[in-house]
Amino acid sequence: MARFATYYIRYNEELAPYDWEDRQEHLSALFSQDNSITFGEGVPSDEQKKNGFHYAKIFNHRVYHLKCNPRIIVMQFANSIDIPLESKFEQSVVKDEPSLFVIIDNRKDIRTVAIQNRRKAFSAPKRVAKIMEDIITRTLFNDHCYSAEILPEYYPADLFKAWQEQQKHAQSLRFSSSEEMTYDEIMQSVEKLKDKDFYDNSLMPSLLQLALEAKKAKYKHKFTVMPEDKKTALNVDKTTTFMKNLVTLARATKEPVELVTKEGAVFKCFVEPEDDSTDKIVHHNLDDSWLEMLFKGKKKDGSKAESEDMAKAEAAVVELLNSIKHMSEDIEKKEDAA
């Protein structure tokens, strides 16, 4: 299961372009084929210029347009990395090109971009977003006199602030443990929180043991907190042993807490948000084998993917995008941004 960071595109009108209203068509054109746009960075050397390179480093990519909706674009984005090796006492360098997936939802008035968080390929999704933003903006500005930004979606508020605001309407809180961190890693992280407010680790071994057994049995496990009487408010609680342990767990695993209101709205938030941290960007899960199938035409076991298999893969992509849909909030006049 791969984790995807949620970003979105915002267009900025700079010089009153005559075809501003066609901006989504312009974006489609940039991804119509693999070679419609080149992603790169750095000033090329004289040798690279002779060979027709416009950048010192090129990031290879390929695109796939969903058959069910061609305006949804799946892209495989690669990072060429030099790996030093030693063979028979001789130093050498080989090229590796680990990749990740980027999904662009370019349906009418939608601006969503989902970037896989895969450190083997790139240190963080924001690195990919920056590379894409630089080249897309340069191209759009040169051709159409407007720019674009690729911005992250952050969790809306810290836990206690959101809880205070929604207290009368709050139905429940849901805490989850990390799917990626081990028991020992979480306990080590817990130890570092001793000086924090609301710290309590007295129930931690029991809580983690429950989560561990749930994981072994392939259950999705969350600790749900709700008032005994459904008609009463879910009062803000910073003092009970149970709540302090859950807050400590959320801090240690860096997992968001879900606050669910009686109307069904869900607020995902951290105990203490830090807007400059990549960990605070909204993430969603998607089985990347679906995406690999779209490009390779083969299932996980290597057998050929039939048309119904491809349709299921596309449906999984659409389901993800519908759950993170970001509608347009473009800046149509430069002075409006002030």
Side-chain angles (χ1 to χ4, degrees), residues 172-315:
S172 63
L173 293 175
R174 292 195 292 244
F175 294 80
S176 60
S177 60
S178 173
E179 294 184 7
E180 299 179 359
M181 295 174 71
T182 65
Y183 180 98
D184 290 338
E185 287 173 337
I186 294 175
M187 291 305 292
Q188 289 172 11
S189 183
V190 167
E191 281 297 306
K192 297 176 183 177
L193 299 172
K194 283 185 175 179
D195 296 329
K196 292 281 190 180
D197 293 334
F198 327 122
Y199 172 84
D200 194 327
N201 68 344
S202 58
L203 301 178
M204 205 60 60
S206 300
L207 292 175
L208 292 182
Q209 193 60 42
L210 278 171
L212 181 63
E213 292 303 321
K215 187 186 297 186
K216 286 180 181 178
K218 296 184 179 179
Y219 292 114
K220 286 187 175 180
H221 186 269
K222 293 185 179 181
F223 299 99
T224 302
V225 179
M226 57 198 317
E228 286 185 338
D229 184 350
K230 292 184 179 180
K231 295 181 180 180
T232 61
L234 182 60
N235 296 316
V236 176
D237 176 10
K238 300 183 180 182
T239 60
T240 63
T241 298
F242 184 51
M243 184 55 64
K244 288 198 293 186
N245 271 270
L246 289 175
V247 167
T248 301
L249 176 63
R251 275 186 168 132
T253 58
K254 298 182 180 179
E255 289 289 331
V257 180
E258 296 180 352
L259 188 153
V260 184
T261 70
K262 294 174 183 177
E263 293 77 26
V266 178
F267 295 84
K268 291 185 177 181
C269 35
F270 284 88
V271 178
E272 292 174 328
E274 299 170 9
D275 287 351
D276 59 346
S277 170
T278 310
D279 293 332
K280 310 308 178 187
I281 296 174
V282 179
H283 278 69
H284 287 79
N285 294 330
L286 177 67
D287 188 344
D288 54 346
S289 65
W290 290 123
L291 304 179
E292 291 172 0
M293 186 192 300
L294 297 178
F295 286 98
K296 295 179 180 178
K298 294 182 179 180
K299 295 188 286 188
K300 257 185 181 179
D301 59 7
S303 60
K304 181 183 176 183
E306 303 297 339
S307 57
E308 57 266 28
D309 298 315
M310 298 292 281
K312 287 180 181 178
E314 292 198 1

Side-chain angles (χ1 to χ4, degrees), residues 101-118:
F101 291 107
V102 178
I103 308 172
I104 302 171
D105 191 347
N106 195 38
R107 289 176 290 179
K108 181 175 173 57
D109 296 328
I110 299 179
R111 306 286 186 259
T112 315
V113 179
I115 304 175
Q116 185 181 359
N117 197 338
R118 188 175 185 232

Side-chain angles (χ1 to χ4, degrees), residues 160-174:
F160 290 114
K161 180 180 178 181
W163 194 354
Q164 187 73 46
E165 292 174 349
Q166 298 295 328
Q167 185 172 180
K168 292 182 179 179
H169 308 284
Q171 182 182 58
S172 63
L173 293 175
R174 292 195 292 244

Side-chain angles (χ1 to χ4, degrees), residues 4 30-31 34 37-41 55 57-64 73-81 96-104 113-136 150 291-292 295:
F4 283 80
L30 298 183
F31 294 96
D34 293 347
I37 187 171
T38 300
F39 292 104
E41 65 181 3
Y55 305 100
K57 182 173 184 177
I58 301 295
F59 299 96
N60 292 323
H61 74 281
R62 54 180 181 167
V63 298
Y64 175 92
I73 304 154
V74 179
M75 179 170 64
Q76 200 165 12
F77 197 88
N79 188 9
S80 181
I81 301 171
D96 187 22
E97 203 169 39
S99 65
L100 51 72
F101 291 107
V102 178
I103 308 172
I104 302 171
V113 179
I115 304 175
Q116 185 181 359
N117 197 338
R118 188 175 185 232
R119 292 187 179 181
K120 182 180 178 181
F122 290 89
S123 57
K126 64 181 179 182
R127 171 101 168 89
V128 179
K130 185 69 169 67
I131 294 167
M132 290 177 59
E133 178 185 286
D134 287 348
I135 303 303
I136 291 174
I150 300 180
L291 304 179
E292 291 172 0
F295 286 98

Side-chain angles (χ1 to χ4, degrees), residues 68-97:
C68 65
N69 195 320
R71 297 186 74 95
I72 296 176
I73 304 154
V74 179
M75 179 170 64
Q76 200 165 12
F77 197 88
N79 188 9
S80 181
I81 301 171
D82 291 336
I83 301 178
L85 293 178
E86 185 175 326
S87 178
K88 296 180 181 179
F89 307 103
E90 294 292 331
Q91 291 287 341
S92 62
V93 174
V94 298
K95 287 281 186 185
D96 187 22
E97 203 169 39

